């Protein structure tokens, strides 16, 4: 078994190296012939579903607002936000996906997946998108994104900037364990590639310290902030939202609670003159969002529901818990809830998949936000909590090391560890029971949290503009050299390819062709 694993690991490594060499040779032959744009061009790269990557979409919108042409590179899937779709300066470029047979051993599947991702990403960046002045890359995933991005940045004389949301090796450790050889190899790869970047962002102060102390990477903390779309939802909008969701069959689990009178709804009611008000039978709304991954234990929510149900019954109240998102662990959650739902008189749980706009409206209609994110590294933060604050919600959040940077216990929400604490926090925050917990200082959530635009302009733009305002390096213009200088172009392209090994692109600046000869200043 061990011998088989080693053979598979060696095959994956050889396959990755061979594919890298192939891409470099193809690029050298092609000489990065895609034309540069007149405006600064930034490639924003997320090796995931673009529509489910809000932070990278916000980056793209902010860059376009500052006069950049943006290629937003990632997978097709959920609909991106309207600010992305409707912006003529943002060009969505999808990476083709290849299905790997699930019956193959994990190491072989991982190697094949890395190969196809490497080729797909390199193909988009080198042959479809214009030349980039900056490549802004989300991490994780790190394989093969960081290596491909470093190679492309070097070949195009662009700057590579990494946006650290978390660490790829820590996510892999959730599946394989922290001591697994692949996890340790991933850690080394991620550290080495990160040090090849020209600059970096990260999402917390603790992540900044770990990157500096353990990885020797200088990163600028860029905390997540809510987009302008996240705000309290007016009753008129709530009424239309709930009527539409019910018409689409998404609220069927609430049919037993729904009033039958004309103009009456479970959450809102409308009078004969068109005035919308809160329904007298309105239940509390608790909302969460998830990708249904192992770093969020929604089994803990199910464990807490009986105690919450008991508190609601005593207070003659009801609650609807809405969980939005898609993922592998969703079916397991739904099956377990179905088996226990008959014992819950005062609680209903809905699992929904909503558009970004409808999610923002539902968030602004809720009473309380819930986060079960635990962080594989312990030093990232759940963006869902930021959006909840933008919508004016207090939050109950699973506690971990970096959480106090966002959720302050007893001020803008409650932090919990155990299932008992979760049940008590929910009941206390909804006002249906009183436990030994402080009263929130702001029942409307975090009102002083500045928005994404203001925060991005003050933190991210100064760093990015430093790279965008530099003179274009000469190798960006290689494809426009006169025909008689083609040998110089070929030599310079090959020279650029050595930057993949970690040499800075600045080493090939100052290249000048005179009389068909290459001179380096």
């Amino acid at each position: 078994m061990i011998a088989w694993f080693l053979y598979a690991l060696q095959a994956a490594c050889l396959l990755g190296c061979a594919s890298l060499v192939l891409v470099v040779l193809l690029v050298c032959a092609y000489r990065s012939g895609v034309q540069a744009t007149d405006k600064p061009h930034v490639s924003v790269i997320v090796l995931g579903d673009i529509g489910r990557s809000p932070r990278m979409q916000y980056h793209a919108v902010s860059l376009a607002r500052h006069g950049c042409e943006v290629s937003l590179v990632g997978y097709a899937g959920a609909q991106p936000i309207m600010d992305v779709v409707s912006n003529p300066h943002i060009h969505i470029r999808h990476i083709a996906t290849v299905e790997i047979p699930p019956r193959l051993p994990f190491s072989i599947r991982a190697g094949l997946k890395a190969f196809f991702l490497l080729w797909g990403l390199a193909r988009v960046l080198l042959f479809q998108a214009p030349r980039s002045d900056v490549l802004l890359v989300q991490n994780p995933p790190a394989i093969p994104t960081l290596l491909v991005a470093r190679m492309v940045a070097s070949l195009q004389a662009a700057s590579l900037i990494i946006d650290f949301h978390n660490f790829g090796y820590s996510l892999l450790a959730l599946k394989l364990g922290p001591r697994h050889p692949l996890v340790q190899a991933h850690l080394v790869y991620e550290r080495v590639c990160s040090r090849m970047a020209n600059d970096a962002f990260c999402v917390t102060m603790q992540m900044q310290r770990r990157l500096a102390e353990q990885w020797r990477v200088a990163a600028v903390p860029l905390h997540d902030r809510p987009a302008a779309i996240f705000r309290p939802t007016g009753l008129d909008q709530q009424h239309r939202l709930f009527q539409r969701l019910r018409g689409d069959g998404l609220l069927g689990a609430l049919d037993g609670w729904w009033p039958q009178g004309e103009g009456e709804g479970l959450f809102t009611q409308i009078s004969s003159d068109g005035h919308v008000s809160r329904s007298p039978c309105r239940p509390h709304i608790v909302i969460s969002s998830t990708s249904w991954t192992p770093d969020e234990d929604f089994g803990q929510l199910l464990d807490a529901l009986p105690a919450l149900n008991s508190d609601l019954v005593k207070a003659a109240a009801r609650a609807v818990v809405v969980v939005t998102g898609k993922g592998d662990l969703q079916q397991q959650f739904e099956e377990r809830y179905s088996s226990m739902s008959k014992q819950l008189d005062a609680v209903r749980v809905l699992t929904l998949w909503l558009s970004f706009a409808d999610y923002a409206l539902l968030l602004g209609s809720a009473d309380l936000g819930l986060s079960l994110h635990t962080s594989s590294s312990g030093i990232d933060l759940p963006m869902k909590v930021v959006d909840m604050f933008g919508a004016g919600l207090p939050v109950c959040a699973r506690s971990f090391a970096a959480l106090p940077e966002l959720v302050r216990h007893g001020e803008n929400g409650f932090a919990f560890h155990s299932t008992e604490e979760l049940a008590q926090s929910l009941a206390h925050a909804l006002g249906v029971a009183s436990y030994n917990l402080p009263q929130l200082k702001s029942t409307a959530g975090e009102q002083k949290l500045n928005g994404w635009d203001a925060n991005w302009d003050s933190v991210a733009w100064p760093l990015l503009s430093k790279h965008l305002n530099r003179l274009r390096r000469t190798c960006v213009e290689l494809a426009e050299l006169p025909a008689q200088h083609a040998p110089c172009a070929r030599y310079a392209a090959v020279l650029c390819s050595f930057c993949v090994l970690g040499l800075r692109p600045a080493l090939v600046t100052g290249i000048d062709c005179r009389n068909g000869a290459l001179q380096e200043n």
Side-chain angles (χ1 to χ4, degrees):
M1 183 65 184
I2 296 177
W4 167 250
F5 171 77
L6 292 175
Y7 286 137
L9 183 60
Q10 291 172 3
C13 293
L14 289 174
L15 189 62
C17 293
S19 60
L20 175 62
V21 172
L22 175 64
V23 171
V24 170
L25 290 175
L26 287 173
V27 172
C28 290
Y30 191 72
R31 297 203 308 275
S32 298
V34 181
Q35 298 297 311
T37 59
D38 294 333
K39 293 182 178 180
H41 178 252
V42 180
S43 290
V44 178
I45 304 167
V46 49
L47 208 62
D49 185 341
I50 292 176
R52 298 171 69 179
S53 305
R55 180 176 168 106
M56 304 312 286
Q57 294 184 75
Y58 299 165
H59 274 304
V61 173
S62 296
L63 286 161
R65 180 166 51 86
H66 280 269
C68 298
E69 291 294 320
V70 180
S71 288
L72 183 53
V73 181
Y75 297 145
Q79 177 75 3
I81 60 176
M82 284 306 300
D83 286 344
V84 167
V85 174
S86 62
N87 196 312
H89 301 292
I90 300 177
H91 312 278
I92 297 176
R93 305 185 191 278
H94 290 138
I95 303 169
T97 58
V98 177
E99 292 295 328
I100 308 297
R103 63 180 177 272
L104 293 175
F106 174 78
S107 56
I108 295 179
R109 283 190 289 116
L112 289 173
K113 183 178 180 181
F115 169 77
F116 287 118
L117 290 179
L118 186 151
W119 170 246
L121 180 57
R123 180 172 176 270
V124 170
L125 294 176
L126 292 170
F127 295 92
Q128 295 179 4
R131 290 196 191 110
S132 300
D133 296 285
V134 168
L135 278 76
L136 178 58
V137 182
Q138 172 185 298
N139 186 74
I143 298 177
T145 320
L146 298 186
L147 185 59
V148 175
R150 177 65 270 169
M151 179 191 70
V152 173
S154 299
L155 287 165
Q156 297 187 345
S159 294
L160 172 62
I161 300 176
I162 301 175
D163 188 12
F164 286 94
H165 298 195
N166 201 346
F167 297 122
Y169 81 91
S170 66
L171 291 172
L172 185 61
L174 292 177
K175 184 173 186 177
L176 301 179
R179 298 184 181 277
H180 195 281
L182 286 180
V183 174
Q184 295 302 310
H186 194 302
L187 171 59
V188 173
Y189 163 87
E190 199 168 2
R191 288 178 63 177
V192 170
C193 289
S194 297
R195 290 173 61 183
M196 294 182 186
N198 299 92
D199 260 313
F201 296 114
C202 60
V203 295
T204 65
M205 299 291 291
Q206 290 201 30
M207 188 174 290
Q208 180 195 37
R209 288 192 291 270
R210 181 179 295 186
L211 285 168
E213 295 170 1
Q214 299 183 16
W215 290 22
R216 289 190 289 170
V217 172
V220 175
L222 177 65
H223 287 89
D224 285 321
R225 291 292 185 266
I229 193 174
F230 292 104
R231 56 184 181 271
T233 303
L235 286 174
D236 288 348
Q237 290 179 298
Q238 289 187 34
H239 185 75
R240 292 193 294 270
L241 172 67
F242 291 123
Q243 290 297 106
R244 179 159 45 82
L245 293 180
R246 189 166 189 240
D248 292 339
L250 298 179
L251 305 183
L254 303 178
D255 285 346
W257 289 2
W258 210 272
Q260 301 301 314
E262 184 178 354
E264 291 185 74
L266 182 60
F267 302 99
T268 57
Q269 60 183 10
I270 186 168
S271 62
S272 57
D273 61 357
H275 175 71
V276 178
S277 59
R278 291 173 62 91
S279 173
C281 62
R282 177 177 177 130
H284 299 285
I285 302 176
V286 180
I287 188 167
S288 186
S289 64
T290 180
S291 297
W292 297 103
T293 50
D295 59 349
E296 292 187 277
D297 181 12
F298 272 82
Q300 187 176 26
L301 171 62
L302 295 178
D303 292 338
L305 287 183
L308 175 62
N309 183 78
S310 177
D311 286 331
L312 288 165
V313 170
K314 292 176 183 177
R318 297 181 295 185
V320 176
V321 180
V322 182
V323 185
T324 68
K326 290 181 179 179
D328 295 338
L329 300 179
Q330 180 177 350
Q331 183 177 354
Q332 177 182 329
F333 173 87
E334 291 174 343
E335 290 174 352
R336 186 181 167 199
Y337 168 69
S338 178
S339 68
M340 61 185 295
S341 59
K342 293 181 180 180
Q343 286 74 47
L344 303 174
D345 301 324
V347 179
R348 295 288 183 271
V349 177
L350 303 177
T351 53
L352 305 179
W353 173 249
L354 301 174
S355 68
F356 189 80
D358 281 350
Y359 171 67
L361 290 173
L362 186 59
L363 206 62
S365 307
D367 303 296
L368 179 65
L370 171 64
S371 172
L372 289 159
H373 179 83
T374 53
S375 175
S376 61
S377 64
I379 55 175
D380 71 320
L381 287 172
M383 192 168 186
K384 72 190 76 177
V385 172
V386 176
D387 299 335
M388 291 167 183
F389 285 158
L393 301 182
V395 173
C396 291
R398 176 74 180 266
S399 184
F400 58 93
L403 188 68
E405 291 189 32
L406 185 61
V407 178
R408 297 184 297 278
H409 184 72
E411 294 186 26
N412 56 7
F414 296 110
F416 62 87
H417 291 90
S418 67
T419 299
E420 181 183 10
E421 289 176 350
L422 168 58
Q424 293 179 358
S425 297
L426 291 172
H428 191 83
L430 293 174
V432 298
S434 180
Y435 289 98
N436 188 26
L437 293 169
Q439 293 299 318
L440 294 178
K441 294 184 178 180
S442 173
T443 56
E446 179 60 87
Q447 296 286 1
K448 297 181 180 180
L449 195 67
N450 61 331
W452 170 269
D453 289 343
N455 190 57
W456 193 92
D457 289 349
S458 62
V459 177
W461 180 242
L463 184 148
L464 286 162
S465 61
K466 177 182 67 175
H467 295 276
L468 291 169
N469 290 335
R470 293 181 304 182
L471 292 174
R472 298 274 185 103
R473 295 184 177 94
T474 307
C475 56
V476 171
E477 306 300 333
L478 288 175
E480 286 76 34
L481 283 174
Q484 65 268 27
H485 298 323
C488 302
R490 284 193 295 271
Y491 175 80
V494 175
L495 186 61
C496 284
S497 69
F498 283 103
C499 297
V500 176
L501 302 177
L503 300 176
R504 294 296 185 193
L507 294 177
V508 294
T509 61
I511 296 176
D512 183 25
C513 283
R514 297 192 180 98
N515 300 320
L518 184 82
Q519 297 184 8
E520 298 178 48
N521 301 327

